[in-house]
Amino acid sequence: APAAAQETFTWKVQSHWPGASSSYTDSLVRLQRVLEERTDGRLKLKLYEAGALFKAQETFNAVSRGILEMGTISPSYAQDKVSLAGIASGLPFAFRNVWEAEYFHQGMGFEQMLRDEAAEHNVYWATDKVYPTEMVIKKPINNWEDFTSLKIRSSGVLQKFLTEAGAAASYIPGSELYSALDSGIVDGAHWGAAQGAASMALYEVAKYHVQPALNIAGTDVIIVSMKALNKLPKDMQEIVKDALDEQFWIRTNEYLYKERLTLAKVIAEQGVQVNVLPDDVQDKLVKAAQAMWDEEGERSANAKKALDMLKGYLAELGYL
Amino acid sequence: MSIEILTLLFFGSLLFFLLLGLPLAFVLGGVSVIFLYFTWGFDSFYMVASQIWGTMGSFTLVAIPLFVFMAMVLERTGVARDLYRMMHLWFGGLRGGLAIGTLVICAVFAAMVGISGAAVVAMGTIALPSMLERGYDRKMALGVINTGGGWGILIPPSILMILYALITGVSVGQMFAAGIMPGVLLMVMTVLYILIRSTLQPHLAPALPPEERGTWPEKLRALRAVLLPIGVVFMVLGSIIGGITTPTEAAAMGVLGSLISAAVYRQLKWSILQEAAIRTFKLTGMIMWILFAAHAFSAAYQSMGAQELIEGMMQHIPGGPWGIIVAMMVIIFFLAMVLDPVGIMLITLPVFMPIVKSLGFDPIWFGILFVINMEIGYKTPPFGFNLFYLKGVVPPGITMKDIYTSVVPFVIIEIIAIGIIMVFPEIATWLPGVFF
Amino acid sequence: MSVLTAFISGVTRLNDFVGRWIALLVFAMFAFLLLEVGFRYLLNAPTAWTNELTQMLFGVYAVMSGGYIMAHRGHVNVDLLHSKLPPRKRAVMDIFTSLIFFIFTLALLWFGIDMASESISSWETTYSAWNPPVWPVKLAIPVGTGLLVLQGLAKLLEDIAIAFNLDYHRPDQSISEGEQS
Ligand code: NA
Ligand code: NA
C-alpha cells in the first residue's frame, strides 16, 4: 500500500451517554471496535463520556467547527441548525411500530434529507437507531381523568404535547428526576423507554410502564465532522460510512431486543406492570398529537416536505 | 509528550501561579487555555467558552444564590445571632459547645442541600463570627465550618451521589440510604474530637464562665430564638420530603422562611435586603467563576488523556484486592487536591468501576468511600472548593494559611472514617439493604 | 496621569453600577421558583417558563459578576506569599501574572463573541416547551467577560503605576477596598 494510506488517525468522540448507559458500550464501543478492525488500526476512536469535553447541547457545534471529529447527540440538540430535527426527534403518536420508522428513515429517504441538511453545517449525520419513548408512572391510567390528573416530568416537544393534551407536564433536570418521582413532585416521567427508566432506577419509585409509546423516532444520532471525514483516504471514508449504515440496523434491532429483556426483568424482579392505555385515552391523545404536527412543518420548506411525506406514508398505512 | 509529563507540567503550573497570588479562577482558566493551545490547538478554546455556557445552564446551581441569600438575611436581621446566643446560654458551660452546635446546624443544612458551597458560605457567615467573638481559636472555628459545611454531599440529598449513580449505574435511592449512617459516624467522630481536644486544651474552645451562663428564666427566654430557624428548616425539609418542591426549588422556600423571620424581627427593610443581595451576588459570582474555570480545567485535562494515566497506574498496583482499593483511594485523594469532584468522577470511575465489580466489592460501598474522599478533597490544599468559599467570607485578618492549616485534624478524622467503613462495610451497606 | 486615573475609576464605577443592578436578580429567581411551586402544587398547573426563565437569569447573574467582583477584590487567591510582599513587588508580580489572566479572559471573550454572534444570526431559541430566545443569555458571556477584561486592564494600569512609582491617585478607596465586612 502507498505510504499515505498507512497514516493513522485518532478521533475524539464526545458521547451524550454516560458510561453506565448500555448505548455507550453497545453503540460507541462497538463502532470503535468495528472501525479499528476494518481499517487495520488506521482509525482509532478516543471515547469521552457524557459531558467530559462538551455538554450534549454543544456537541453539534463542536463537530460542525471540526474541533471534535465525532460525537453522539439527540436531534433536539441540533434544532437551531437542522430544521428537520424536530420531526427526527419524534412527532407524538405518529408511528405505531419501530419498523415503520425504520422504513421512513431508510426506505423513504428521510435519513438522506437529514444528511443533506446537516451537510450544510459540515456534519455527516447518521442515525444510530430508532426506538420508542415510553412513560413510567406511579399510578395506572384507567380513564381520561387519570391521565389529565397526572403531573409528568417531560421535555421539549413532548412536554408541549402532554400539556396541550391536558396533563400537567413540567421540566425537571435529570439529576433531580429520581427524587422528584420518589417524593411525588411528579407522578410520571419519560427517560427513553424501559432501559432508560431502569438506568435511572425509576422503577424503584414508579411501578407502571405505559404503552403504547409517546413516540418512535431516531432519537440517537452519530455525527461526524466532514472536515475530518474528508481528510481520510477514500477507502477509509467508505469504511466509515458503511459501518454507520450498518450500525443503524444492528443497533435498532438489538435495542428492541434489550428493551423487551429489560421490561421482562423489571416485571419479574421489581413488580412492574405494563399499563396499556384504554382505547378512548389513546384516541384522544392521537387527536391532540395530530393538531401539533403541523407546527413542525412550519419550520422550513424542507420540514413541510418531510411532514407531507410522513402524512402520506401514515395514510398509506391506514392510520390517518 | 507523555501524559505523565503533561500532568506534572499542568498541575505544576497551577500551583506556581496560585502561589504567585493570581486569583484561583484565572489560574485555572489561563493554565487550561495555554495547555489546550499546545495539545489541541487554537480552536479548542471554544471548549472553554462552551464549558462556561454549560455551567451557566446547570439548574442545581441555582440553589447557591438562594441559600446564600437566606443565610445573609438570617445573619443581618439578628436571627442567627440570637440562635448563637441561645446555644451559648445553654451549652456555653460545655467546652466546645458552640463548635458542636455549629456541627449540628451543618448536619441539618446538609439534609437541606445537595451541594457543598452554599453550606460553607452560609455557615462561614453565620457561625464563624459568633465563635470568634466568644474566644474560639480561629483554626478550630475554621476547621469546624470547613468540615461540617462539606457534609452536604454525604447526607442526602446529594448531587454528587446522583452523578455517581448515573456514571456507575447503581441505584440513587440506595446511595442516599447508604450515606446516612456514614454521615452520622462522621458527625459522632467530629464531635468526639472537639470534646477531647477542648478538654485537653480549653483555650481552643473556651467554656462560658459560670457567672455568665445565665439564669433559668434567661435560658428559657432565649429558647424562643430557635423557633424561627426551626421554622425555616421545616419549610425547606418539609417541602422536599412532602413532595412539594425539588431540592433546588426548596432553596426558594428557605428564602421565604428567612424573609418571614426578618418580618418577625421587624427587620424587613429594603436596605437590609439590598445589602444581602449584593453580598450574595459577590459570593455566588466568586463561586461561579471558580466553577466556570474549574470545569474548563478538568475538561482540558481529560482531553489530554487523563484517563490513560489512571489506566496505566492501575496496571502496577500490588497487594491483592484490598491493595487495589486502597490504591484507588490514594489516587482519588491526590487528584482531589487539585481537581474538582465531577472531573475526578469522569476520569477515574470508568477505569475503577469494572475493577471494583470484578473483585467482588459492592459498588454502593465503594461509592460511599468515594464520596467521603471527595469531601476530603473539598478541603485539602491547595485546591479545595470549601477553602476558597470560606476565604470569600472570612474577615480580613484571616489568611489562606489559617484556612489551609485548620483542616488537618478534620482530614485525618475523615481518613480514619474511610478506614472504619472499609473494615465494617455494613455501616454503608446495611441501610440500603433494609430499604430496598 | 489624570487620564489614567479617570480610566481606572471610570471602569470601576461602570462595574459597580452594573453589579448593583444585576445583584437584584436574586429576587427575581426567588420569586419565579416560588411561583412555580405555587402553580404546580396549589393549582396543579405547572408552567413551562418559570424554571427555564430562572435558569436563564441565573446564567446572566453568574457570568456578569466577574468584573464587579474584581472591582471589589472579591476573587479569592492564595495569599501565602502574595500578602507578605511590599506593595511595589506585589505590583510587579501581579503585572507578570496578569498575562495568565488576559490569556484566559481574551480567549473567552473571543469565543464568547463567536458563540453569541452565531446565536444571534440564527435568532436561536431553546426549543423547549416554552421556546424562548437564547441569544440574550449567550450575549451575556462576551459582555460579562468584556467587563472583566476592562477591570483587569484597570488593575494592570494601577499595578504599572505602582511598580514604576508613577504619580497617580488611587481611585476611590471605598470602592476598591471597601465592603470587606
Ligand atoms: Na445533602
Ligand atoms: Na482539594
Side-chain angles (χ1 to χ4, degrees):
Chain A
Q6 293 308 317
E7 196 184 343
T8 63
F9 299 83
T10 303
W11 283 4
K12 287 188 168 76
V13 185
Q14 173 64 66
S15 162
H16 74 307
W17 297 299
S21 157
S22 66
S23 282
Y24 185 87
T25 321
D26 296 347
S27 286
L28 266 185
V29 177
R30 175 191 180 274
L31 193 63
Q32 181 187 41
R33 178 176 48 79
V34 165
L35 290 179
E36 194 165 339
E37 271 171 20
R38 295 186 191 165
T39 59
D40 299 322
R42 286 179 294 155
L43 180 56
K44 290 193 168 60
L45 302 187
K46 174 81 193 89
L47 308 183
Y48 293 91
E49 289 195 31
L53 305 181
F54 289 92
K55 294 276 184 306
Q57 288 81 348
E58 285 291 312
T59 303
F60 186 89
N61 283 340
V63 171
S64 165
R65 289 159 178 263
I67 301 166
L68 286 174
E69 288 84 4
M70 192 188 259
T72 68
I73 58 167
S74 285
S76 57
Y77 301 145
Q79 294 200 67
D80 59 317
K81 301 280 160 48
V82 180
S83 78
L84 294 175
I87 297 175
S89 32
L91 299 183
F93 288 93
F95 303 117
R96 298 186 185 180
N97 298 290
V98 171
W99 67 260
E100 296 162 6
E102 283 183 310
Y103 188 77
F104 183 63
H105 270 259
Q106 306 290 0
M108 301 191 70
F110 182 60
E111 184 76 11
Q112 190 57 49
M113 289 174 75
L114 280 165
R115 207 161 274 178
D116 292 341
E117 269 202 12
E120 290 168 24
H121 299 277
N122 300 315
V123 171
Y124 185 83
W125 183 289
T127 302
D128 180 57
K129 58 182 168 292
V130 179
Y131 64 91
T133 295
E134 290 167 1
M135 263 196 308
V136 294
I137 50 179
K138 289 170 81 99
K139 46 189 186 203
I141 300 172
N142 294 317
N143 52 52
W144 185 244
E145 279 67 48
D146 287 346
F147 172 77
T148 53
S149 69
L150 282 182
K151 282 187 263 212
I152 304 167
R153 182 273 176 200
S154 184
S155 60
V157 179
L158 286 178
Q159 184 185 349
K160 206 162 149 192
F161 160 67
L162 290 167
T163 308
E164 286 181 11
S170 56
Y171 175 75
I172 290 170
S175 57
E176 294 194 336
L177 174 53
Y178 176 92
S179 326
L181 257 181
D182 188 20
S183 61
I185 294 164
V186 290
D187 319 299
H190 55 83
W191 192 272
Q195 292 177 76
S199 77
M200 297 282 282
L202 301 186
Y203 291 120
E204 285 175 10
V205 287
K207 296 291 183 195
Y208 295 91
H209 182 100
V210 180
Q211 282 179 336
L214 293 174
N215 71 29
I216 297 172
T219 317
D220 289 329
V221 182
I222 296 170
I223 49 176
V224 185
S225 151
M226 304 273 266
K227 197 166 124 194
L229 195 59
N230 292 336
K231 266 191 207 154
L232 298 180
K234 275 276 168 312
D235 68 313
M236 282 168 72
Q237 291 185 24
E238 287 314 309
I239 292 173
V240 171
K241 290 180 179 175
D242 287 348
L244 288 172
D245 282 344
E246 167 196 292
Q247 173 108 345
F248 176 88
W249 301 102
I250 292 176
R251 284 296 293 137
T252 299
N253 192 256
E254 182 184 42
Y255 195 83
L256 268 187
Y257 159 73
K258 290 200 168 176
E259 271 299 305
R260 184 59 228 177
L261 221 59
T262 308
L263 196 54
K265 190 168 173 239
V266 295
I267 288 171
E269 291 175 6
Q270 300 194 41
V272 171
Q273 293 182 33
V274 174
N275 176 207
V276 178
L277 294 174
D279 287 342
D280 62 314
V281 174
Q282 283 196 41
D283 290 344
K284 283 183 179 158
L285 287 175
V286 170
K287 285 215 174 60
Q290 287 175 356
M292 275 188 61
W293 294 355
D294 290 332
E295 285 176 33
E296 284 303 325
E298 286 160 15
R299 286 210 188 160
S300 68
N302 225 12
K304 174 84 172 62
K305 189 177 145 201
L307 184 65
D308 288 344
M309 187 168 91
L310 174 66
K311 282 182 173 171
Y313 176 51
L314 291 174
E316 211 177 17
L317 295 174
Y319 299 158
L320 284 183
Chain B
M1 199 181 290
S2 78
I3 179 64
E4 285 82 6
I5 295 172
L6 266 177
T7 300
L8 283 179
L9 289 175
F10 194 53
F11 293 114
S13 329
L14 172 76
L15 299 187
F16 178 70
F17 288 107
L18 267 185
L19 264 183
L20 293 193
L22 183 67
L24 172 73
F26 310 137
V27 176
L28 287 167
V31 170
S32 308
V33 168
I34 293 173
F35 276 76
L36 278 173
Y37 179 77
F38 288 109
T39 58
W40 196 352
F42 179 78
D43 284 341
S44 66
F45 298 171
Y46 179 73
M47 190 177 78
V48 176
S50 157
Q51 283 289 339
I52 288 177
W53 174 241
T55 311
M56 287 163 72
S58 169
F59 190 68
T60 49
L61 296 178
V62 176
I64 294 179
L66 296 174
F67 274 124
V68 170
F69 183 74
M70 176 190 89
M72 294 296 158
V73 171
L74 289 177
E75 198 250 341
R76 276 303 135 108
T77 55
V79 177
R81 192 188 54 227
D82 284 0
L83 179 68
Y84 270 84
R85 206 177 82 84
M86 182 284 296
M87 286 207 299
H88 215 212
L89 282 174
W90 280 80
F91 310 114
L94 178 70
R95 284 174 189 157
L98 270 193
I100 293 168
T102 301
L103 286 171
V104 172
I105 298 178
C106 282
V108 173
F109 217 114
M112 304 199 299
V113 293
I115 44 185
S116 113
V120 176
V121 168
M123 295 311 293
T125 309
I126 293 175
L128 188 65
S130 295
M131 283 193 279
L132 293 181
E133 264 170 37
R134 293 172 174 88
Y136 271 59
D137 175 63
R138 61 166 61 169
K139 280 181 193 161
M140 175 65 101
L142 290 168
V144 162
I145 294 167
N146 251 319
T147 207
W151 291 345
I153 56 166
L154 180 62
I155 298 173
S158 158
I159 296 300
L160 217 54
M161 283 186 183
I162 291 173
L163 284 175
Y164 179 87
L166 269 180
I167 294 175
T168 60
V170 302
S171 146
V172 182
Q174 291 195 23
M175 273 306 286
F176 279 6
I180 295 173
M181 279 177 49
V184 172
L185 173 73
L186 266 183
M187 225 179 114
V188 170
M189 287 174 67
T190 314
V191 166
L192 279 179
Y193 162 76
I194 287 168
L195 283 176
I196 293 169
R197 189 87 198 271
S198 57
T199 307
L200 297 177
Q201 294 165 289
H203 63 279
L204 293 181
L208 203 58
E211 62 278 11
E212 283 174 37
R213 281 179 201 168
T215 60
W216 276 103
E218 263 183 289
K219 282 186 182 178
L220 290 174
R221 261 202 311 278
L223 263 189
R224 281 188 311 191
V226 294
L227 292 179
L228 288 172
I230 286 180
V232 176
V233 168
F234 185 79
M235 284 181 76
V236 176
L237 277 183
S239 62
I240 297 175
I241 295 165
I244 299 169
T245 70
T246 63
T248 304
E249 291 165 343
M253 302 299 278
V255 172
L256 182 65
S258 71
L259 292 179
I260 294 173
S261 305
V264 172
Y265 270 64
R266 302 188 184 285
Q267 296 281 317
L268 197 57
K269 297 174 197 146
W270 176 243
S271 58
I272 288 186
L273 294 184
Q274 193 188 24
E275 200 211 332
I278 283 175
R279 293 180 75 202
T280 302
F281 181 55
K282 260 176 157 171
L283 290 169
T284 306
M286 173 201 81
I287 293 181
M288 287 304 296
W289 274 89
I290 293 176
L291 283 179
F292 287 158
H295 289 164
F297 187 79
S298 54
Y301 188 42
Q302 286 178 74
S303 78
M304 287 184 248
Q307 218 165 67
E308 282 100 89
L309 177 77
I310 305 296
E311 275 165 7
M313 282 172 131
M314 289 317 290
Q315 286 164 0
H316 305 286
I317 309 278
W322 282 100
I324 290 174
I325 295 287
V326 171
M328 286 174 177
M329 286 296 131
V330 172
I331 290 175
I332 295 169
F333 177 86
F334 281 108
L335 282 178
M337 289 177 92
V338 284
L339 272 182
D340 76 295
V342 178
I344 296 172
M345 276 190 169
L346 286 168
I347 292 168
T348 60
L349 289 183
V351 183
F352 287 176
M353 279 330 283
I355 302 174
V356 169
K357 284 177 186 163
S358 74
L359 292 176
F361 290 108
D362 183 346
I364 300 265
W365 165 81
F366 184 80
I368 295 302
L369 299 183
F370 186 91
V371 170
I372 298 180
N373 214 331
M374 288 299 103
E375 269 190 54
I376 296 177
Y378 270 121
K379 53 181 175 286
T380 46
F383 175 90
F385 283 116
N386 289 6
L387 306 166
F388 290 103
Y389 298 161
L390 200 49
K391 180 76 184 348
V393 286
V394 293
I398 293 178
T399 64
M400 205 66 200
K401 195 178 158 207
D402 295 327
I403 300 178
Y404 276 173
T405 48
S406 74
V407 302
V408 175
F410 298 94
V411 168
I412 293 172
I413 290 173
E414 295 195 336
I415 292 175
I416 295 172
I418 290 184
I420 293 176
I421 296 170
M422 278 185 178
V423 179
F424 304 103
E426 297 79 13
I427 297 171
T429 58
W430 182 70
L431 262 189
V434 172
F435 283 166
F436 294 95
Chain C
M1 281 302 110
S2 62
V3 178
L4 180 63
T5 313
F7 175 78
I8 295 173
S9 67
V11 165
T12 306
R13 271 167 215 279
L14 173 68
N15 265 314
D16 208 52
F17 176 79
V18 173
R20 284 183 166 272
W21 280 101
I22 300 280
L24 302 182
L25 285 179
V26 71
F27 295 111
M29 290 187 264
F30 159 66
F32 288 134
L33 282 184
L34 209 61
L35 199 65
E36 171 66 9
V37 174
F39 269 116
R40 193 184 55 227
Y41 187 72
L42 300 175
L43 307 176
N44 199 32
T47 69
W49 57 274
T50 43
N51 280 6
E52 194 173 2
L53 181 59
T54 307
Q55 179 72 71
M56 295 172 95
L57 292 179
F58 174 73
V60 173
Y61 181 82
V63 85
M64 292 287 287
S65 67
Y68 178 83
I69 295 171
M70 188 156 194
H72 291 266
R73 305 282 189 267
H75 288 290
V76 290
N77 65 346
V78 175
D79 54 15
L80 295 182
L81 216 71
H82 197 251
S83 58
K84 297 207 171 47
L85 293 176
R88 274 191 71 187
K89 283 200 174 139
R90 202 190 307 169
V92 171
M93 194 149 47
D94 285 353
I95 293 170
F96 171 63
T97 55
S98 74
L99 191 68
I100 302 291
F101 169 85
F102 284 112
I103 285 175
F104 171 50
T105 50
L106 289 176
L108 191 53
L109 188 62
W110 177 273
F111 279 92
I113 290 172
D114 203 38
M115 207 182 222
S117 59
E118 194 182 357
S119 181
I120 291 172
S121 69
S122 66
W123 301 115
E124 184 185 2
T125 60
T126 64
Y127 289 99
S128 63
W130 177 38
N131 198 21
V134 75
W135 60 265
V137 189
K138 280 199 173 161
L139 189 60
I141 299 178
V143 173
T145 311
L147 285 170
L148 178 60
V149 169
L150 278 179
Q151 196 66 51
L153 203 59
K155 177 163 188 331
L156 178 66
L157 292 174
E158 208 177 312
D159 285 333
I160 290 173
I162 296 169
F164 294 97
N165 265 335
L166 299 181
D167 172 33
Y168 133 91
H169 299 286
R170 294 210 65 186
D172 194 353
Q173 292 277 337
S174 67
I175 288 182
S176 52
E177 308 255 322
E179 299 200 32
Q180 274 290 352
S181 58

